[in-house]
Every structure is written in structure tokens, then in C-alpha cells.
Amino acid sequence: MSRVKTEAIWQHDKVLPYILTSLKGKINEITAVEKILLFGSRGRLPLERWSELEGKDWDILVQAKCKLKNAHVLIEENYHLDLLVLDENQTERFIQNMKTKQLFPINELECLMTENEENGNIYRQ
């Protein structure tokens, strides 16, 4: 992307609300969102070590009713995300040997949601 908010690349309080509101909403207009998963660095590292990932992008997998080709057109230019939108079968194959963290519909980062909900920053489904 041409312009990236470098101060927001690794900060969950800026990126997660975008993923759970704007991006999820855009995808839902095309096909139903079934799951949102973090993979890569954030899927493997415990939350308390995420600060080590400063400068790294977010690896996001959205499981939807159908695969979306060129899903990157849905990403706003201020966010640096690696986005995949796959159907259920493709998602299962992709993550079979991977450690992930689910954000939707089950939120494995509930502590972040609670913390940010108090600030009115995160939309809850």
C-alpha cells in the first residue's frame, strides 16, 4: 500500500476495531462472514508479546460463504493487512497445521475487547 499508518500497524487498539467493523462490514456486503482469524505472527505469539511485532503487518483470514479474489481491494489504504477471504473448505486446509487466534464469532482476545469496549472503540457482534 502506498500510505500506511506506521504507528497503527501493530497496535491492536487501532487495527482490531477496523477489522471487526469496517472490513467485516465490507465483506458482509458481498458474502456472509463466518469467521475471522489471525494467523502468522499474531496467531503464534501470546498477546503480551505483540509489542515485539512493531512494524509487521497483520495476517487476517476471513472465512466466508465464498472465496473472494483480490480481497485487498477492500482494505483501506491506511491499514497494512495481508487479507485472505476463503470458503470453509479452503480455510480448513489453509490452517490445518497453523496456530491461529479467532476474533469472530468466538473472540479469543476477549480481554482486548473488554478493555477497548470501555473506550467505545470496538464493535461487538
Side-chain angles (χ1 to χ4, degrees), residues 8-55:
I9 288 176
W10 67 273
Q11 295 174 348
H12 63 266
D13 57 331
K14 298 193 186 306
V15 178
L16 291 178
Y18 167 70
I19 292 167
L20 294 175
T21 54
S22 301
L23 189 56
K24 181 177 175 279
K26 287 178 186 180
I27 295 169
N28 260 332
E29 289 177 9
I30 301 165
T31 182
V33 171
E34 297 172 340
K35 290 183 184 176
I36 300 175
L37 303 165
L38 295 177
F39 66 97
S41 306
R42 283 171 188 78
R44 289 188 301 272
L45 285 181
L47 175 65
E48 50 277 358
R49 292 184 53 204
W50 277 9
S51 61
E52 298 171 20
L53 302 173
E54 185 170 0

Side-chain angles (χ1 to χ4, degrees), residues 59-70:
D59 301 309
I60 308 299
L61 171 59
V62 175
Q63 179 182 310
K65 286 289 183 193
C66 66
K67 176 182 179 176
L68 293 183
K69 291 185 179 183
N70 302 321

Side-chain angles (χ1 to χ4, degrees), residues 3-5 10 21 29 34 53 55-56 80 95 124:
R3 292 186 310 165
V4 174
K5 263 195 247 181
W10 67 273
T21 54
E29 289 177 9
E34 297 172 340
L53 302 173
K56 301 212 179 218
H80 196 196
I95 66 169
R124 293 187 61 151

Side-chain angles (χ1 to χ4, degrees), residues 56-107:
K56 301 212 179 218
D57 63 3
W58 289 71
D59 301 309
I60 308 299
L61 171 59
V62 175
Q63 179 182 310
K65 286 289 183 193
C66 66
K67 176 182 179 176
L68 293 183
K69 291 185 179 183
N70 302 321
H72 278 87
V73 300
L74 301 172
I75 299 171
E76 292 180 18
E77 62 186 18
N78 290 330
Y79 291 92
H80 196 196
L81 304 177
D82 283 337
L83 174 66
L84 293 172
V85 180
L86 304 175
D87 66 22
E88 184 176 4
N89 291 333
Q90 292 166 322
T91 297
E92 287 175 11
R93 283 194 307 270
F94 185 80
I95 66 169
Q96 67 185 359
N97 296 315
M98 240 184 239
K99 187 172 182 181
T100 63
K101 288 186 177 59
Q102 190 173 138
L103 296 178
F104 174 84
I106 297 167
N107 179 12

